[in-house]
Amino acid sequence: MAKKTTTVKKQAPLPKSLLKEARVIIKNRWNYLGQNYQVQEQIIDLLFKKKNLCNNDVNIVRTKAATINIFYSTHVQAISKISQAIVNLNIDSRLSNGDITLVPDIAKAANVSRRFCSFASKYCAAHNPDAFPIYDRLVRLYLAKVIAKGNLAGYMYNQTTADTKLHDYRYYVEVYNAFMKQYKLTSLSYRQMDRYIWTACKSKLANLDLFKLI
């Protein structure tokens, strides 16, 4: 009687760099999927980069906070309360210095829950995009899967543990930077990184090197 043979499916080789793929996705797919977001980003850039719009006037802060909340659907209901909290924190120097501890401080300043880390990161990133990566649910879940698979050097947890730890913005930034360094993406900005992972996940392009890691 002939022995049955089992076919072992070969695992796709893990990429050493994601830079080429990222540039293609940003150039082609982002321009198609992100059309509405591109307009929103242009408006935010104009609103946040005016020199007279600092963060010690509650009316100005309220306008900026409401814009972030509407454009990015961050689900903050107490806009006036969180705007006053931002003014009370006196954040301008910390924004300029890229102090990432500012994000959790804003998120908890008005007694809001940690889910508003998304709002706080986007508010800070709109002022200083080179220092503050956006905290995004899709990106967080993706990085958790990469860690769970053992495909990020120095990090090894199950997916639940990794996802829970990534709720901490400071840890999120640490992992984000480690991922960019390992897969040779450091020439991209945080904004470009967000576009890459977000667009790839939304497009469900399963043949991408990005998904070989999860």
Side-chain angles (χ1 to χ4, degrees):
M1 183 174 172
K3 292 183 178 180
K4 290 184 179 180
T5 57
T6 57
T7 303
V8 178
K9 187 177 180 181
K10 292 184 178 180
Q11 185 177 2
L14 298 179
K16 294 182 179 180
S17 172
L18 295 172
L19 183 58
K20 182 178 179 181
E21 176 179 274
R23 286 175 171 163
V24 171
I25 291 296
I26 293 166
K27 181 179 179 180
N28 298 326
R29 296 295 296 176
W30 166 255
N31 287 337
Y32 171 70
L33 282 180
Q35 291 180 35
N36 291 333
Y37 291 102
Q38 290 173 45
V39 174
Q40 291 177 2
E41 285 181 358
Q42 290 170 6
I43 294 171
I44 287 172
D45 286 345
L46 287 171
L47 178 62
F48 279 73
K49 292 182 179 179
K50 286 185 177 293
K51 292 182 179 179
N52 63 325
L53 294 185
C54 55
N55 293 283
N56 56 16
D57 184 321
V58 72
N59 293 315
I60 292 173
V61 171
R62 189 185 298 115
T63 300
K64 293 192 288 186
T67 302
I68 290 289
N69 194 43
I70 293 169
F71 281 1
Y72 291 116
S73 301
T74 51
H75 307 295
V76 176
Q77 295 180 347
I79 286 294
S80 292
K81 188 176 181 180
I82 202 167
S83 297
Q84 186 60 60
I86 289 171
V87 171
N88 294 343
L89 282 171
N90 193 23
I91 70 172
D92 286 340
S93 62
R94 295 174 70 186
L95 278 173
S96 298
N97 294 331
D99 180 0
I100 63 171
T101 64
L102 183 56
V103 170
D105 283 353
I106 290 174
K108 69 183 181 183
N111 294 319
V112 295
S113 70
R114 70 183 181 187
R115 70 177 182 273
F116 295 119
C117 180
S118 174
F119 165 83
S121 71
K122 287 165 183 171
Y123 190 88
C124 292
H127 289 88
N128 189 351
D130 294 330
F132 297 91
I134 286 175
Y135 177 88
D136 180 86
R137 177 179 173 274
L138 279 178
V139 177
R140 188 194 79 230
L141 291 174
Y142 174 79
L143 291 174
K145 290 179 182 178
V146 172
I147 292 172
K149 276 284 189 175
N151 289 329
L152 187 60
Y155 300 87
M156 187 62 206
Y157 311 100
N158 62 46
Q159 186 174 342
T160 300
T161 302
D163 186 36
T164 300
K165 287 173 72 69
L166 284 164
H167 281 289
D168 180 339
Y169 182 73
R170 286 161 292 192
Y171 181 75
Y172 176 88
V173 174
E174 176 190 320
V175 171
Y176 204 108
N177 288 334
F179 180 83
M180 290 180 69
K181 182 177 180 180
Q182 180 165 324
Y183 293 102
K184 299 178 173 58
L185 294 161
T186 53
S187 61
L188 300 181
S189 66
Y190 284 143
R191 182 175 284 186
Q192 288 173 317
M193 274 296 298
D194 181 67
R195 290 172 180 174
Y196 171 38
I197 298 178
W198 182 89
T199 302
C201 291
K202 284 290 186 180
S203 302
K204 298 181 180 178
L205 302 174
N207 61 325
L208 292 179
D209 280 347
L210 185 76
F211 294 118
K212 292 176 182 177
L213 304 178
I214 61 174

